Amino acid sequence: MIKTSSWTIDYIETGSGPCVILLHSSVAGNRQWRATIEALQDQYHVIAINLFGYGQTSPWSGDREQTLVDQGELVQPFIDQAPGDVALVGHSFGGAVAMSVALRRPNRVSRLILLEPIPFCLLDEAGRTEAYVEVLRLRDTVKRCGGSGDWERGAACFADYWNGEGTWAAMPPERRMTFASSMRPNCHEWDAVLGRTAQQEWRNLHARTLVAWTRDTKRPIREIVEVLRERVPHWQYCELSEGGHMFPLIQPNITNRLISKFLRDTDVGVQPTHHFLQPDRSKPGTGYSAKRTNALSPLISNSR
């Protein structure tokens, strides 16, 4: 842990070489990157940060709406300490945070890997009304349940939305309890990705950027990718055949291969590409046909 003048920041650090900073998804924590850390640590200096309210990182105060810039402040000390450029890898909410950091530190962030990023404000800006309303419904449910202290109900809706109907019912009671307790930071994260402060000119990002998503993910994610491809066609795009929103946990082998390849690629002349990747069948249960609840297992150990 490190302490700034305002917060305590909990993180994992290992390896040596070029710096790669990993930013986790909502209701998760930096341990979601265990397989990625193991895959990268022999060649890179890997740092996995816990965002506000996860692990031992300070919780958000709640005295005002949270912004992506606020979350990005947790990343700044690690960028400042790095001897050279850094690469950011972000999944879901962590992807939106990574985008904000890269926009504000163009001279230090050279590569950006976005796995199903959720800058939901793009949907509103682009007139993607139905997808935007779908997101707002989930936000309203989470905030309503959080406001009344009914974290289990909020967690059930959240888990079933992102991982498929029946996910919550399939969880053992102890996992439900831990998952529900990890919902608290999410109430503030909605403000960060939906508020006016979340609206940014993403085409001004200088970092070499890869966006990866799955064909069977939720509609808001698919439409975010469509908007990004329209506005920033020079980025690289990679569609996986299956895995859903939690594909970094369901498909760790293919995810780590994707990250490693993009980090190693030295081609300076970036050309817009759209890859289509099949699921990794090298091990039983790594495909999306496996129960979606498997994706939650690495998240359960991140309770405070």
Side-chain angles (χ1 to χ4, degrees):
M1 290 184 287
I2 62 172
K3 293 182 182 290
T4 69
S5 58
S6 303
W7 306 297
T8 296
I9 308 171
D10 177 13
Y11 66 101
I12 297 170
E13 182 177 26
T14 187
S16 61
C19 184
V20 179
I21 300 176
L22 309 174
L23 301 175
H24 63 80
S25 60
S26 294
V27 200
N30 59 8
R31 292 183 187 177
Q32 84 160 75
W33 297 113
R34 284 177 294 187
T36 301
I37 292 169
E38 185 176 346
L40 298 179
Q41 63 185 354
D42 289 342
Q43 293 181 291
Y44 299 96
H45 176 200
V46 185
I47 298 171
I49 300 168
N50 267 327
L51 299 174
F52 283 115
Y54 297 93
Q56 298 302 311
T57 296
S58 303
W60 181 247
S61 64
D63 57 351
R64 61 176 175 81
E65 288 190 355
Q66 186 184 109
T67 70
L68 291 176
V69 173
D70 293 321
Q71 291 280 5
E73 289 298 319
L74 299 179
V75 186
Q76 303 300 342
F78 302 94
I79 294 179
D80 292 338
Q81 293 172 15
D85 293 345
V86 304
L88 300 180
V89 181
H91 171 220
S92 189
F93 181 69
V97 175
M99 293 169 75
S100 177
V101 173
L103 195 62
R104 284 160 178 76
R105 299 298 299 271
N107 60 324
R108 297 302 307 276
V109 179
S110 59
R111 303 216 176 196
L112 189 60
I113 300 176
L114 308 174
L115 311 175
E116 299 241 336
I118 59 166
F120 289 133
C121 57
L122 276 177
L123 298 172
D124 186 37
E125 293 175 34
R128 303 293 185 112
T129 305
E130 292 184 12
Y132 188 64
V133 168
E134 184 175 314
V135 166
L136 293 182
R137 286 198 201 99
L138 181 60
R139 178 205 61 181
D140 292 346
T141 298
V142 170
K143 281 186 170 282
R144 184 169 58 251
C145 293
S148 64
D150 191 357
W151 292 108
E152 283 207 7
R153 183 166 173 243
C157 294
F158 190 90
D160 283 359
Y161 178 80
W162 289 115
N163 295 275
E165 195 70 30
T167 296
W168 181 256
M171 278 190 202
E174 63 275 12
R175 287 188 180 177
R176 289 187 189 180
M177 184 180 302
T178 307
F179 191 82
S181 70
S182 298
M183 284 293 299
R184 288 172 173 80
N186 184 244
C187 276
H188 303 296
E189 292 162 2
W190 288 106
D191 298 329
V193 294
L194 286 169
R196 290 182 180 176
T197 58
Q199 298 178 9
Q200 305 290 336
E201 193 56 72
W202 301 118
R203 62 169 59 92
N204 291 335
L205 277 171
H206 296 299
R208 184 172 181 180
T209 302
L210 170 69
V211 179
W213 75 103
T214 63
R215 186 172 54 180
D216 61 354
T217 192
K218 303 298 291 187
R219 176 178 180 176
I221 302 297
R222 293 196 305 273
E223 295 203 18
I224 284 173
V225 173
E226 289 174 6
V227 174
L228 288 173
R229 294 186 70 188
E230 292 169 1
R231 297 188 178 186
V232 277
H234 62 277
W235 288 0
Q236 291 180 266
Y237 295 87
C238 179
E239 182 181 54
L240 280 70
S241 62
E242 58 186 34
H245 185 61
M246 301 306 294
F247 84 82
L249 288 90
I250 294 174
Q251 298 271 25
N253 293 337
I254 199 170
T255 300
N256 296 338
R257 205 160 65 238
L258 186 72
I259 292 171
S260 296
K261 183 179 185 301
F262 190 72
L263 292 175
R264 289 195 311 267
D265 189 357
T266 57
D267 182 12
V268 178
V270 179
Q271 297 296 324
T273 57
H274 180 179
H275 302 291
F276 184 86
L277 298 185
Q278 297 293 336
D280 184 354
R281 305 298 187 186
S282 61
K283 294 183 180 180
T286 56
Y288 194 58
S289 57
K291 263 188 137 3
R292 293 193 185 201
T293 49
N294 292 345
L296 298 177
S297 298
L299 310 187
I300 299 304
S301 59
N302 286 289
S303 61
R304 292 169 296 286

